[in-house]
Amino acid sequence: MKLGVIADDFTGASDIALTLSEGGMRSAQYVGIPDGPAEAGTEAGIVGLKSRTVPVDEAVEKSLKACGWLLEQGCEQIVFKICSTFDSTDDGNIGPVASALAGRLDETSVLVCPAFPENGRTVYEGHLFVKDNLLSESGMQNHPLTPMRDPDLRRVLARQTDWPVTHVPISTVREGADAIASGLSRAGKAMIIADAIRNEDLVEIGGAAKDRKLIVGGSGIALGLPGNFGARSDGGRWTGLGGKAVVLSGSCSTTTRGQVEKYLSVAPSREIAVADLMKEQLSLQELVEWVLQQDMPPLVYSSADPETVAAAQREFGKAESSESVERLFSDLAAALSQSGVTRIVVAGGETSGAVVSGLQAETLEIGPRIAPGVPALKVCGRGLALALKSGNFGGPDFFSEALSVLEGRA
Ligand SMILES: Nc1ncnc2c1ncn2[C@@H]1O[C@H](COP(=O)(O)OP(=O)(O)OP(=O)(O)O)[C@@H](O)[C@H]1O
Ligand SMILES: O=C(O)[C@@H](O)C(=O)CO
């Protein structure tokens, strides 16, 4: 294995796995840290953790352990994959994990860039934009767990680490990889936020990072990395899976709520209310039976608008509300897979983490792209195909499109 990725959530892991696989690296995604060695011939190993919103110490410990495993597999470079909307709080976990990994790898110059232009995330003058909005006005200010209220990444990161935080402006990035690399050496010990507006900028940033041991970013940061390892795209092989399918949505993002609205107008659906979960008024067995009875893939969703989420959090607590929903999706996915469901489309990073844990999936094969940042996946050794969609990704018809790609029809 040449390149190792530690992703702070599971949708993020499949997002960057798609970029590396499309860039020609033989890639495998792992659900948590594997017990044994990687399959021979794997060039990029992506360890998906559920560390974005856990307590800082736990995130650092898990990330260092993942780093240790990747180094044992021979990795020469580690990417810490974070969200393209820089999801974090003033406590972390981006800053503390990045500094712990830098310490472990003996790296003093850490490029940080969450840009993902294809999905509208760009960094300019150190500020993160989501399409034509600043991060803090993009809907991310209402995120249930990591509300992002400051668009200036230099300030956001500086609150999370005692490392100096500096900046590479777009003018330097446009001069190319060598100019970026000399900017890094001049910066001394620092975490360096890099501006990037288009894919070409990220390819130059990737080139500049050739000799770095640690890079931090969204999946866009990986665009230039396969070239550093001499990889070339080869098309790939994917065969779909027929059979029963379901869509599970725990994401409350604006994008997902639009996709939920669209899909429930054509498919059977069941809405999950936090109050029903907290008051134990929902039968898992009944829900499983309902899903299995449907003629077309149904939707089970807890996705709700910010007012509904805030009301549930006020009444039952923030962590408790999230946990109750995640437990439901985890148990539901496990029960459905045991009952013969072969395709599961999931919306939301935390929700995806809960689902893959419930499924006890270990290694995922990377298939074709469903939408930018979302590949089709197969659980190795099992007849089960998955799509793990980040909250803000995909077009209005994402759920139908994902079901088709997983079936091998698109
Ligand atoms: N109705 C609800 N009320 C309160 N919390 C909810 C509700 N529905 C879902 N949640 C919780 O909100 C969180 C949503 O996070 P999740 O990561 O799944 O989606 P997202 O943030 O939109 O996706 P991503 O992290 O990929 O951007 C989860 O912890 C989920 O359990
Ligand atoms: O970078 C992104 O936006 C996604 O891969 C993700 O991490 C959302 O959970």
Side-chain angles (χ1 to χ4, degrees):
M1 195 182 285
K2 299 170 182 170
L3 178 66
V5 181
I6 302 163
D8 68 355
D9 82 346
F10 292 99
T11 48
S14 56
D15 176 4
I16 195 164
L18 176 63
T19 312
L20 293 169
S21 153
E22 288 184 336
M25 293 190 92
R26 205 171 145 202
S27 308
Q29 181 179 338
Y30 305 102
V31 179
I33 303 154
D35 292 330
E39 198 193 327
T42 308
E43 294 171 313
I46 300 98
V47 177
L49 300 177
K50 199 169 179 307
S51 58
R52 187 173 290 173
T53 56
V54 300
V56 174
D57 291 351
E58 193 182 328
V60 167
E61 189 198 316
K62 282 185 179 166
S63 307
L64 287 174
K65 202 163 159 215
C67 182
W69 183 82
L70 289 164
L71 293 176
E72 274 166 29
Q73 310 313 308
C75 289
E76 297 152 30
Q77 185 173 61
I78 300 292
V79 178
F80 173 34
K81 161 69 180 68
I82 56 164
C83 191
S84 62
T85 41
F86 217 78
D87 297 16
S88 52
T89 66
D90 286 352
D91 294 332
N93 292 338
I94 296 175
V97 170
S99 41
L101 290 173
R104 171 73 172 82
L105 296 165
D106 213 7
E107 180 57 271
T108 51
S109 201
V110 183
L111 269 168
V112 180
C113 184
F116 187 176
E118 244 186 310
N119 270 325
R121 280 80 160 139
T122 56
V123 182
Y124 180 63
E125 301 292 8
H127 287 63
L128 181 53
F129 290 81
V130 178
K131 302 197 175 121
D132 59 348
N133 289 306
L134 282 166
L135 175 66
S136 48
E137 295 166 24
S138 67
M140 283 304 297
Q141 69 275 26
N142 298 319
H143 190 280
L145 302 172
T146 50
M148 300 303 294
R149 300 195 172 121
D150 184 353
D152 185 335
L153 297 180
R154 298 162 298 184
R155 283 194 306 237
V156 175
L157 187 56
R159 286 195 288 268
Q160 298 181 27
T161 178
D162 51 14
W163 279 51
V165 177
T166 63
H167 173 226
V168 184
I170 195 71
S171 51
T172 307
V173 171
R174 294 278 157 93
E175 284 172 40
D178 291 345
I180 305 169
S182 27
L184 295 189
S185 3
R186 277 196 305 274
K189 177 181 168 176
M191 298 205 187
I192 307 115
I193 306 280
D195 282 356
I197 297 172
R198 21 175 238 211
N199 281 356
E200 292 81 350
D201 301 331
L202 287 152
V203 171
E204 296 303 328
I205 291 169
K210 192 171 195 300
D211 299 321
R212 304 265 62 96
K213 294 188 209 98
L214 175 68
I215 321 165
V216 177
S219 62
I221 198 98
L223 282 166
L225 302 183
N228 291 345
F229 294 98
R232 265 197 214 93
S233 183
D234 69 350
R237 303 151 284 275
W238 170 265
T239 47
L241 282 176
K244 286 259 175 210
V246 68
V247 179
L248 307 178
S249 178
S251 159
C252 298
S253 72
T254 316
T255 304
T256 302
R257 284 186 286 122
Q259 292 159 341
V260 164
E261 282 305 310
K262 190 86 195 278
Y263 192 70
L264 61 75
S265 68
V266 296
S269 64
R270 282 281 292 267
E271 183 174 6
I272 305 298
V274 171
D276 288 344
L277 297 173
M278 300 302 289
K279 293 176 188 160
E280 297 182 10
Q281 282 172 350
L282 189 117
S283 153
L284 180 68
Q285 190 51 37
E286 185 275 322
L287 189 56
V288 169
E289 280 162 20
W290 177 84
V291 169
L292 296 173
Q293 276 159 12
Q294 304 310 311
D295 292 331
M296 72 179 285
L299 165 69
V300 181
Y301 69 102
S302 67
S303 312
D305 57 40
E307 294 74 36
T308 310
V309 172
Q313 292 183 337
R314 266 194 311 275
E315 188 170 355
F316 304 108
K318 192 170 176 178
E320 291 78 359
S321 302
S322 286
E323 278 160 21
S324 69
V325 173
E326 290 179 27
R327 202 173 319 114
L328 184 267
F329 282 123
S330 173
D331 294 346
L332 181 59
L336 289 173
S337 147
Q338 275 156 21
S339 309
V341 167
T342 54
R343 284 172 293 150
I344 307 184
V345 176
V346 192
E350 298 293 327
T351 309
S352 295
V355 165
V356 288
S357 307
L359 291 170
Q360 296 183 316
E362 286 172 7
T363 307
L364 304 175
E365 175 194 332
I366 318 301
R369 138 190 319 230
I370 301 167
V374 197
L377 299 167
K378 242 184 233 165
V379 181
C380 292
R382 275 162 68 178
L384 182 59
L386 301 176
L388 308 178
K389 186 194 84 77
S390 297
N392 288 305
F393 288 2
D397 291 315
F398 177 85
F399 295 143
S400 309
E401 289 160 3
L403 289 163
S404 297
V405 176
L406 295 187
E407 200 179 4
R409 276 197 292 124

